[in-house]
Amino acid sequence: MVQSHFKGVIPALVTPFRDGEVDEKAFVALVERQIVGGVHGLVPVGTTGETSTLSHEEHRRVVELCVKTTAGRVPVIAGAGSNSTDEAIELARHAKTVGADACLVVTPYYNRPSQEGMYQHYKAINDAVELPIFVYNVPGRTGVDISNETLERLAKLPNIVGIKDATGDLTRISFQRLMCGPEWVMLSGDDPTALGYMAHGGHGVISVTANVAPDACSAFMNACMQGEWEKGLYWQDRLVRLHKALFLDSSPAPTKFAMAQLGLCTEDVRLPITACAEGVRPAILEAMREAGLR
């Protein structure tokens, strides 16, 4: 396994709101709860952090708060994605300036660039900012799927260090590991298939569920990293319904509903995301009970 401090369970943090504003007090408390729960890193302002409806000022502030609160206890991988290359460079530069350990850059959405376009997008960020960069591949949201062949090219660049793979496609992992080399860091972006991802040679998961259950998700990933697959399967069975329940409505509305039940933040989300539908709330509560949270 590659020796990297980017490994284990790394929560994709929600951004809590109150009365239409970022709830900084709740966010700081969430970061502390995650670290106490044993997570191995943090991702502020990713998709789960509703980055698409944060202002640039709010985005930068959340990254700064995360870095300051974390105080070097775990790595911070700051969201810095955009479908504008110049904007992604700006966000990555800010992440470096405030002390983030790496940045997470989603494939350009809506534009639907070619493989060459995606390569040049990441190369431009690589050339502009000396900071470890993770490619984030989530075709279901972006409309594009970066190929292993393009990742193989990117892996040769000095600042492109790995991937968050939210495809749920377990067949590509072994090929990617062989093509990109032993230093390539592979992080799952799909909680339900993270067990299989680890068995294929992955190094961790950028997790939505860890927002709700950091202790259990940390125990699960520790088991996987230690090759204790029977213990990992135990945690998988305990958490899998929660993994699925948190996507029964548009994310992160179900996650914020679950967190509100634990008194961690309000349910508030920003349009066009709306509050978690009443019809799915019982299933989320039942999944929380199965995970030992209620």
Side-chain angles (χ1 to χ4, degrees), residues 35-53:
I35 294 173
V36 170
V39 303
H40 305 90
L42 295 167
V43 172
V45 292
T47 306
T48 308
E50 296 177 80
T51 183
S52 58
T53 51

Side-chain angles (χ1 to χ4, degrees), residues 91-155:
L91 294 173
R93 281 177 171 156
H94 174 264
K96 177 179 173 63
T97 297
V98 300
D101 299 278
C103 61
L104 179 67
V105 180
V106 70
T107 53
Y109 42 87
Y110 190 75
N111 315 50
R112 301 190 69 181
S114 65
Q115 294 297 315
E116 182 62 22
M118 285 187 278
Y119 174 80
Q120 293 297 337
H121 174 77
Y122 286 105
K123 183 178 185 300
I125 304 168
N126 169 89
D127 293 348
V129 187
E130 192 173 341
L131 185 71
I133 298 163
F134 283 88
V135 176
Y136 178 18
N137 191 29
V138 56
R141 286 184 179 270
T142 62
V144 290
D145 184 359
I146 193 165
S147 70
N148 278 353
E149 288 75 18
T150 302
L151 292 171
E152 183 179 20
R153 294 176 67 195
L154 288 172

Side-chain angles (χ1 to χ4, degrees), residues 5-281:
H5 65 308
F6 301 115
K7 61 184 178 182
V9 63
I10 306 171
L13 296 167
V14 304
T15 303
F17 301 124
R18 184 178 293 274
D19 300 324
E21 303 294 329
V22 174
D23 187 341
E24 294 191 3
K25 182 179 179 181
F27 181 78
V28 168
L30 293 178
V31 170
E32 291 291 351
R33 177 175 182 260
Q34 293 296 322
I35 294 173
V36 170
V39 303
H40 305 90
L42 295 167
V43 172
V45 292
T47 306
T48 308
E50 296 177 80
T51 183
S52 58
T53 51
L54 296 179
S55 69
H56 286 183
E57 181 180 354
E58 288 172 328
H59 180 114
R60 290 190 289 266
R61 176 60 177 160
V62 171
V63 174
E64 291 167 9
L65 269 179
C66 189
V67 171
K68 181 180 179 181
T69 306
T70 302
R73 288 175 286 175
V74 296
V76 173
I77 306 174
S82 175
N83 62 342
S84 161
T85 304
D86 286 345
E87 186 172 283
I89 289 171
E90 178 189 344
L91 294 173
R93 281 177 171 156
H94 174 264
K96 177 179 173 63
T97 297
V98 300
D101 299 278
C103 61
L104 179 67
V105 180
V106 70
T107 53
Y109 42 87
Y110 190 75
N111 315 50
R112 301 190 69 181
S114 65
Q115 294 297 315
E116 182 62 22
M118 285 187 278
Y119 174 80
Q120 293 297 337
H121 174 77
Y122 286 105
K123 183 178 185 300
I125 304 168
N126 169 89
D127 293 348
V129 187
E130 192 173 341
L131 185 71
I133 298 163
F134 283 88
V135 176
Y136 178 18
N137 191 29
V138 56
R141 286 184 179 270
T142 62
V144 290
D145 184 359
I146 193 165
S147 70
N148 278 353
E149 288 75 18
T150 302
L151 292 171
E152 183 179 20
R153 294 176 67 195
L154 288 172
K156 294 179 173 65
L157 300 177
N159 296 317
I160 311 293
V161 300
I163 189 167
K164 174 187 176 182
D165 184 341
T167 65
D169 178 3
L170 299 180
T171 63
R172 71 171 69 192
I173 302 165
S174 293
F175 288 102
Q176 186 183 129
R177 177 167 47 80
L178 294 169
M179 293 167 71
C180 293
E183 299 302 314
W184 185 249
V185 182
M186 300 193 303
L187 303 174
S188 171
D190 183 57
D191 279 302
T193 59
L195 178 63
Y197 194 92
M198 293 298 289
H200 277 265
H203 306 110
V205 59
I206 295 179
S207 170
V208 174
T209 305
N211 280 285
V212 183
D215 304 72
C217 289
S218 297
F220 161 71
M221 191 50 59
N222 284 333
C224 291
M225 290 193 294
Q226 293 161 13
E228 298 176 351
W229 300 111
E230 186 173 346
K231 187 181 292 186
L233 187 59
Y234 163 80
W235 286 108
Q236 171 79 356
D237 290 349
R238 186 163 169 174
L239 290 166
V240 68
R241 286 187 174 84
L242 183 59
H243 294 331
K244 302 298 284 187
L246 295 181
F247 286 87
L248 290 174
D249 200 354
S250 296
S251 182
T255 302
K256 283 190 167 180
F257 167 72
M259 295 173 75
Q261 304 311 299
L262 301 173
L264 301 173
C265 63
T266 72
E267 296 181 42
D268 296 5
V269 287
R270 282 188 177 168
L271 289 172
I273 303 299
T274 55
C276 185
E278 292 291 338
V280 305
R281 294 185 179 212

